[in-house]
């Protein structure tokens, strides 16, 4: 006998539900989204520069950068366009190890990520430190495809994925929180997916 009202119509939350921020859906593929044309950056021409304001602190070429300590990071990522992808596997150089090789502590509370195509995005320095972020060189054990930001991209997985700048060529410490490309066009200055900070005016 089935008692009327026994089934509520709701299913109990699952581990999958707990990993998807509000307003997101689970994506099995890896959509390609970019602000403009895809630059084709040859590793022979690639370099990475750490700056304090306009002043360069240290610069690495591809071979020098790949000689830095390598770390692995497997994380869920969340795009502002509403998709979430689970367990993405990356390998690269933690921002902490870049700073250590340059022999510095973070000089300011704010950072701009700089890309070969002129794209920028702002990230609080604390969100790049303590193992939270890396400059990724491999995805799933292979060089990152150009469409996904190769040869090197920033990975800040706890923020919306537009903060993980593609085609990265530098990090610039700034005295104030300077909005980047999408932030100047109405995206949230911080971008926490768990708070749905998609656009200016979101909490």
């Amino acid at each position: 006998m089935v008692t009327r009202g026994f089934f509520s119509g709701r299913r109990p939350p699952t581990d999958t539900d707990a990993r998807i921020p509000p307003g997101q859906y689970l994506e099995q593929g890896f959509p390609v989204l970019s602000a403009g044309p895809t630059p084709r950056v040859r590793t022979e021409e690639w370099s990475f520069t750490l700056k304090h304001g306009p002043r360069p602190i240290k610069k690495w070429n591809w071979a020098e950068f790949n000689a830095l300590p390598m770390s692995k990071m497997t994380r869920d990522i969340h795009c502002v366009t509403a998709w979430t992808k689970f367990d993405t596997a990356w390998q690269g150089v933690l921002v902490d190890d870049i700073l250590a090789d340059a022999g510095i502590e973070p000089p300011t509370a704010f950072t701009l990520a700089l890309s070969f195509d002129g794209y920028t995005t702002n990230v609080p320095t604390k969100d790049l430190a303590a193992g939270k972020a890396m400059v990724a060189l491999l995805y799933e054990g292979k060089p990152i495809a150009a469409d996904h930001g190769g040869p090197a991209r920033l990975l800040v997985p706890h923020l919306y994925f537009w903060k993980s700048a593609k085609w990265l060529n530098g990090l610039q410490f700034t005295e104030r929180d300077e909005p980047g490309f999408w932030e100047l066009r109405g995206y949230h200055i911080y971008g926490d997916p768990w708070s749905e900070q998609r656009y200016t005016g979101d909490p």
Side-chain angles (χ1 to χ4, degrees):
M1 181 179 73
V2 177
T3 303
R4 182 175 296 176
F6 182 79
F7 294 104
S8 67
R10 298 179 180 177
R11 58 182 177 81
T14 66
D15 176 63
T16 295
D17 296 326
R19 292 169 64 182
I20 300 180
Q24 299 286 111
Y25 68 89
L26 184 60
E27 171 65 56
Q28 299 299 329
F30 198 159
V32 174
L33 301 170
S34 300
T38 299
R40 306 290 171 174
V41 183
R42 298 171 62 226
T43 55
E44 296 88 350
E45 300 167 347
W46 183 91
S47 65
F48 180 89
T49 305
L50 198 62
K51 298 180 178 181
H52 184 180
R55 179 178 64 86
I57 299 171
K58 187 166 182 176
K59 185 175 182 178
W60 297 260
N61 62 28
W62 183 254
E64 292 165 341
F65 199 82
N66 277 263
L68 298 178
M70 290 287 164
S71 298
K72 293 181 179 181
M73 188 181 287
T74 299
R75 298 288 187 275
D76 301 343
I77 55 176
H78 315 286
C79 183
V80 72
T81 60
W83 57 262
T84 285
K85 183 172 178 61
F86 286 170
D87 299 321
T88 62
W90 307 86
Q91 186 171 343
V93 183
L94 294 176
V95 174
D96 304 288
D97 289 325
I98 297 171
L99 297 177
D101 192 68
I104 66 165
E105 295 291 331
T108 69
F110 306 107
T111 306
L112 269 179
L114 312 174
S115 298
F116 274 90
D117 64 343
Y119 178 87
T120 61
T121 190
N122 61 306
V123 184
T125 305
K126 64 180 177 60
D127 287 276
L128 299 176
K132 295 177 183 176
M134 68 163 47
V135 176
L137 308 175
L138 301 175
Y139 174 66
E140 293 190 338
K142 299 178 181 178
I144 300 171
D147 286 347
H148 287 298
R153 72 173 298 157
L154 187 62
L155 178 67
V156 192
H158 62 284
L159 300 180
Y160 279 124
F161 211 47
W162 92 78
K163 295 290 186 177
S164 295
K166 295 181 177 182
W167 313 298
L168 194 72
N169 70 348
L171 292 174
Q172 179 180 9
F173 295 107
T174 58
E175 299 298 328
R176 62 183 183 87
D177 198 5
E178 299 183 15
F181 179 88
W182 285 118
E183 294 82 13
L184 287 170
R185 290 160 175 79
Y187 278 36
H188 197 277
I189 197 71
Y190 183 60
D192 176 12
W194 294 98
S195 298
E196 287 196 271
Q197 293 175 338
R198 301 176 191 273
Y199 307 111
T200 301
D202 290 341

